[in-house]
Amino acid sequence: MVVVGIDIVDIERFTAAARRTPRMLTRLFTPQELEYCRQKGSPYASLAARFAIREAFRKLHPAFVRGLSFHDVSVQNDEHGKPALLLTAAARQKAAAAGISGFAVSLSHSRSQAIAIVIGEGGNPE
């Protein structure tokens, strides 16, 4: 069985919210993600994509809707730029309980929108 979660974020709206409430960024993202994205020419687009991946993860299975913080799910890019999902012990435990054993992710953005997809291997309905 394969489970899928997807989300799209309006970059302009995300940027406005982040500028209006700067501490939002530290509530949503890990220090490593913030450092990575701030090195980009368009940091808010990259951050919006990382927000979208958290929302896509939540949509993957009902077990992920409650009980996890934004920092329980993050993204790390390898030396070639390929993103990978990083889960805390709490998130890994929920995934195991939901029968999901592995994840594949993809992020993308245009000038106006960021999108993320999370595909989980396995999964049992709750």
Side-chain angles (χ1 to χ4, degrees):
M1 178 180 209
V2 173
V3 290
V4 178
I6 190 168
D7 195 65
I8 190 166
V9 174
D10 181 273
I11 295 170
E12 186 176 313
R13 187 173 175 207
F14 179 86
T15 301
R19 288 183 175 156
R20 188 174 51 252
T21 312
R23 69 176 186 208
M24 173 184 102
L25 296 178
T26 56
R27 282 193 352 249
L28 294 176
F29 305 107
T30 65
Q32 295 81 11
E33 287 176 302
L34 290 171
E35 180 182 340
Y36 176 83
C37 292
R38 286 179 175 145
Q39 295 174 17
K40 298 290 183 184
S42 180
Y44 288 110
S46 294
L47 289 166
R50 279 156 178 74
F51 180 73
I53 210 161
R54 285 159 166 83
E55 292 298 304
F57 181 82
R58 289 171 45 98
K59 293 173 181 176
L60 198 63
H61 193 278
F64 303 144
V65 174
R66 292 200 170 104
L68 293 175
S69 77
F70 287 111
H71 284 237
D72 284 323
V73 178
S74 63
V75 176
Q76 182 176 14
N77 293 72
D78 70 13
E79 65 275 3
H80 304 290
K82 182 179 177 184
L85 198 63
L86 296 179
L87 303 178
T88 63
R92 285 193 308 272
Q93 185 177 20
K94 280 192 173 267
I100 301 172
S101 59
F103 299 93
V105 301
S106 187
L107 306 170
S108 189
H109 63 79
S110 66
R111 289 184 183 174
S112 61
Q113 296 178 321
I115 191 166
I117 187 166
V118 179
I119 299 169
E121 187 178 325
N124 46 31
E126 233 180 279

